[in-house]
Amino acid sequence: MSEEMERETFYTDFLFVGAGPACLSGAIRLRNMIDDHNDAAEENGEEPLDARIMILEKGSDVGSHGISGAVLDPRALSELFPGWKEDDTFPVERFVERESMLMLSETSGFTIPIMPPEFQDHGKPIISIAKFQAWLAERCEERNIEILTATAGNHLLFDDNGQVIGVRTRDFGIGQNGSPREDFEPGADIMAKVTILGEGPRGHLSRQLFNKFDMLSSNPITYEMGCKEILELPKGSVKDGFVYLTAGYPLNGSWGPLNGTFGGAFIYSMGGDRVAIGLLAVLDAHNPDQDVHYMLQKLKLHPKIREILKGGKVIKYGAKAVTVGGWGCMPKLYAPGAMVIGDSASFLNAARIKGIHLAMKSGMLAGEAAFECLLAGEFGESYTKMYKDKIDDSWVRTEMEVSQNFHTNISKDGLPIGAMKYGLSKVTTPLFGASSIVKAHEDHSGMKTLEEYYGKDRSERPQFTKPSSGRYTDLEYDNEYIVDKLHAVYLSGSTHEEMQPSHLLVADPNHCVTTCREEYGNPCERYCPAQVYNIIDDESSPHGKRLQVDFSNCVHCKTCDIRDPYQNIRWVPPEAGGGPQYGDM
């Protein structure tokens, strides 16, 4: 569509993009500071500050795209809402009463009764991240913070000096051929003095900002991908708040760098008789056939796990990329007129598998910096830089810096050596300061070809029951306990308007059925957790096959954008409101 068409223009002072914990917390902190300032100004007979705050959310509702393994460290929450425990509206599922680590081999396992300090969660709240986001959104609305749902940011707007001045939202009603449908509506330009990006991992607008200002020059952001399910167990099965973390099976070779896959799993109880289970694995894994959804089904068949989930039926499913590089892979956090917060900026501590509290605090500190900009009437880079200064002076840096090389060291050296280096950094960092940041690599460069991984004999490759089925021959699917990908997509609630262009842009589809098929065996058919990519027979194609992109299945995990070995796929926002409906996730 023409970028010169007439568009509506809206004006706000502060624009947050993404209604996750980072942006919602940031907007609340900013509004609280403005209100406190105005209360003092009224007492002193001074002019109050007049400021408008808006939040854009691409999902149909706040929380519809929210997914996390949500045992919450409440540190940031307690700063923002000191009385949250006494608030009857706070959406806690349970509090952690018991926890343990399970070490699994293929057929057996044993329990470590004492959790490592990083993983100790006793007394912490177990939450649904989607419900938590909805609760924070209600707190925003109480403060007259405007939230625009089903509104996807498509382009950053810049002035003649290169300063960010807002966001253009995605056009609505574009047909499959790129022409406007009858219901076409052009996107709007939302102008802001400061734009704060908290879109989650691999953010679309964040990428535009990073590229324009070369904000990833130190290290690329690195990722894991997680699949998560919620199961309903027989009535009366779940009696307390519990957490299990697992290591080992079904992740192959996770103890060493040679063909290894680092990751782990979690299981925790929720309200009623529901239990959540999820498995995460690095996206720089050497294995070209890595399939986290498949591994999650294998994990559920382990006797130790079946014992915990006995009688359970999967009622909800989702998947998401997770930033794991932490402090060592953090981009530059500010630009003229803009800041980046939450998962978009790698605010997760991989050594603890925790990030919600860090995302919230990053948003709160960005809100404080935005308030300082408002007081000064200055919104350029010399003022947005205050956000980074506040991060450096906060407990965020204290927590994250000690583990800044945790993921990179494990990726390079394997788990034992990486863990040893992390243990050493816990001792040396408080005494001598953090060691230098280890150079990381783009995740897609870690994948090996079929021949490099399997050798010439590829008999060990997991086999599908038939082409494009997504089902494996070694699993029996009942779509109650062991679910295939298509049924999992149904359980995610994901829907998209199908009469629109695909939001998964494949630069060269022919490459998929030639070079990629020969060298890597079309890993997109495996790593996609929603059966989006399928190589199908096509007699009209010169190669006898073609790539079919079923974009309506997409759950917005961004795995394809990150892991494709040729970087041939790019995720962009679909028509706003499309995507998963996670609800309880």
Side-chain angles (χ1 to χ4, degrees):
M1 306 306 300
S2 171
E3 298 300 310
E4 304 304 320
M5 68 173 61
E6 185 176 344
R7 298 175 183 275
E8 280 192 277
T9 302
F10 299 92
Y11 295 90
T12 187
D13 295 285
F14 302 101
L15 179 62
F16 290 81
V17 181
C23 283
L24 294 166
S25 300
I28 291 168
R29 178 64 177 141
L30 174 57
R31 174 58 72 195
N32 287 350
M33 293 186 75
I34 292 171
D35 289 348
D36 289 345
H37 173 89
N38 288 344
D39 288 344
E42 184 178 0
E43 289 182 6
N44 297 327
E46 299 171 356
E47 283 292 317
L49 294 171
D50 183 21
R52 185 180 187 185
I53 304 172
M54 295 178 65
I55 302 174
L56 302 186
E57 166 55 37
K58 67 181 174 68
S60 59
D61 301 290
V62 174
S64 62
H65 293 179
I67 177 172
S68 175
V71 179
L72 177 67
D73 181 335
R75 185 170 186 177
L77 174 64
S78 296
E79 291 181 9
L80 193 60
F81 294 101
W84 67 270
K85 275 191 176 182
E86 290 72 43
D87 186 342
D88 292 339
T89 68
F90 185 79
V92 65
E93 299 286 319
R94 294 178 185 270
F95 289 92
V96 178
E97 299 169 71
R98 58 184 174 93
E99 53 189 340
S100 58
M101 174 78 75
L102 296 176
M103 307 298 293
L104 303 178
S105 67
E106 186 170 353
T107 57
S108 63
F110 61 91
T111 299
I112 300 176
I114 300 175
M115 299 285 272
E118 286 79 4
F119 298 153
Q120 291 177 5
D121 286 326
H122 195 272
K124 292 185 175 68
I126 299 170
I127 63 169
S128 153
I129 190 67
K131 290 180 182 177
F132 181 51
Q133 289 173 221
W135 183 83
L136 287 172
E138 291 174 359
R139 308 289 80 75
C140 286
E141 291 164 359
E142 292 169 356
R143 291 161 172 79
N144 295 318
I145 297 167
E146 301 168 72
I147 302 177
L148 281 65
T149 55
T151 308
N154 203 32
H155 297 291
L156 288 176
L157 301 174
F158 302 91
D159 66 12
D160 293 340
N161 297 317
Q163 180 162 317
V164 179
I165 55 172
V167 168
R168 175 167 293 168
T169 64
R170 188 192 187 280
D171 296 338
F172 178 86
I174 302 174
Q176 287 179 317
N177 62 359
S179 300
R181 306 192 306 251
E182 290 184 1
D183 59 347
F184 175 76
E185 294 180 12
D189 288 344
I190 304 179
M191 315 301 288
K193 295 170 181 173
V194 177
T195 301
I196 300 172
L197 303 178
E199 308 164 278
R202 204 72 160 190
H204 175 65
L205 298 180
S206 302
R207 185 190 338 232
Q208 295 176 24
L209 191 73
F210 295 159
N211 289 343
K212 183 174 180 63
F213 295 103
D214 191 25
M215 296 166 69
L216 288 171
S217 58
S218 58
N219 253 343
I221 299 176
T222 55
Y223 302 88
E224 292 183 353
M225 197 277 276
C227 288
K228 177 183 174 184
E229 297 173 350
I230 296 178
L231 291 88
E232 184 78 36
L233 271 58
K235 188 174 181 179
S237 297
V238 180
K239 297 179 172 59
D240 61 355
F242 62 78
V243 173
Y244 295 98
L245 301 179
T246 82
Y249 181 83
L251 296 165
N252 70 313
S254 59
W255 295 96
L258 181 61
N259 286 347
T261 300
F262 179 66
F266 59 83
I267 305 171
Y268 58 81
S269 57
M270 299 182 69
D273 290 295
R274 293 171 303 140
V275 173
I277 182 172
L279 185 143
L280 299 102
V282 290
L283 287 183
D284 72 340
H286 299 320
N287 183 1
D289 288 329
Q290 175 169 288
D291 187 330
V292 177
H293 172 272
Y294 166 69
M295 288 192 288
L296 178 59
Q297 306 314 305
K298 296 278 282 185
L299 175 65
K300 289 189 297 180
L301 291 173
H302 192 281
K304 290 285 186 181
I305 307 303
R306 293 201 77 151
E307 185 179 337
I308 297 169
L309 302 179
K310 186 176 180 180
K313 176 181 179 181
V314 181
I315 59 172
K316 207 70 181 174
Y317 169 82
K320 180 186 178 184
V322 179
T323 59
V324 291
W327 192 265
C329 293
M330 195 169 285
K332 183 180 175 184
L333 298 176
Y334 59 93
M339 308 175 206
V340 190
I341 63 178
D343 281 349
S344 291
S346 196
F347 280 99
L348 181 137
N349 184 346
R352 297 185 63 204
I353 324 176
K354 288 254 188 301
I356 298 172
H357 66 299
L358 296 166
M360 292 177 67
K361 185 63 174 179
S362 73
M364 292 158 65
L365 293 175
E368 292 177 14
F371 176 73
E372 298 293 339
C373 291
L374 181 64
L375 284 180
E378 297 284 350
F379 307 96
E381 187 168 24
S382 61
Y383 280 81
T384 55
K385 180 182 180 295
M386 288 188 290
Y387 164 48
K388 170 59 172 167
D389 296 336
K390 290 177 180 291
I391 290 288
D392 287 345
D393 291 338
S394 74
W395 53 260
V396 170
R397 179 171 186 169
T398 305
E399 175 178 333
M400 294 190 72
E401 195 172 34
V402 68
S403 61
Q404 65 183 12
N405 295 319
F406 178 79
H407 177 267
T408 310
N409 282 336
I410 288 175
S411 177
K412 290 178 179 294
D413 304 320
L415 180 58
I417 295 175
M420 181 181 67
K421 288 182 176 180
Y422 168 63
L424 185 62
S425 73
K426 289 176 65 177
V427 176
T428 59
T429 299
L431 295 174
F432 308 110
S435 59
S436 59
I437 292 174
V438 176
K439 186 62 180 175
H441 57 247
E442 294 278 359
D443 282 326
H444 69 269
S445 68
M447 187 188 296
K448 294 188 175 185
T449 65
L450 291 172
E451 185 167 334
E452 288 171 334
Y453 189 78
Y454 291 108
K456 293 188 180 297
D457 178 10
R458 301 176 185 177
S459 60
E460 294 183 8
R461 288 190 71 193
Q463 297 298 309
F464 289 137
T465 57
K466 61 181 179 178
S468 304
S469 70
R471 288 188 164 204
Y472 290 84
T473 56
D474 61 340
L475 291 177
E476 294 184 8
Y477 298 87
D478 58 8
N479 281 340
E480 291 196 355
Y481 186 70
I482 301 300
V483 297
D484 64 30
K485 285 185 180 178
L486 290 178
H487 189 72
V489 171
Y490 167 75
L491 294 175
S492 77
S494 190
T495 58
H496 294 82
E497 168 57 62
E498 296 194 18
M499 299 305 293
Q500 64 174 307
S502 172
H503 64 282
L504 300 160
L505 309 182
V506 182
D508 183 0
N510 286 326
H511 178 85
C512 302
V513 295
T514 54
T515 307
C516 184
R517 185 168 183 79
E518 294 163 5
E519 293 189 347
Y520 291 97
N522 296 123
C524 60
E525 290 188 298
R526 314 275 184 156
Y527 62 60
C528 175
Q531 201 65 27
V532 168
Y533 302 98
N534 296 288
I535 304 298
I536 63 172
D537 295 330
D538 185 352
E539 294 180 0
S540 66
S541 167
H543 309 290
K545 294 182 180 295
R546 66 177 173 87
L547 173 68
Q548 178 173 291
V549 181
D550 296 319
F551 70 86
S552 60
N553 289 358
C554 180
V555 294
H556 299 197
C557 72
K558 318 283 184 69
T559 302
C560 55
D561 193 307
I562 300 164
R563 183 153 167 81
D564 179 71
Y566 301 101
Q567 292 295 276
N568 194 35
I569 303 171
R570 185 179 176 193
W571 186 98
V572 300
E575 198 164 273
Q581 296 289 328
Y582 282 145
D584 289 348
M585 295 290 272

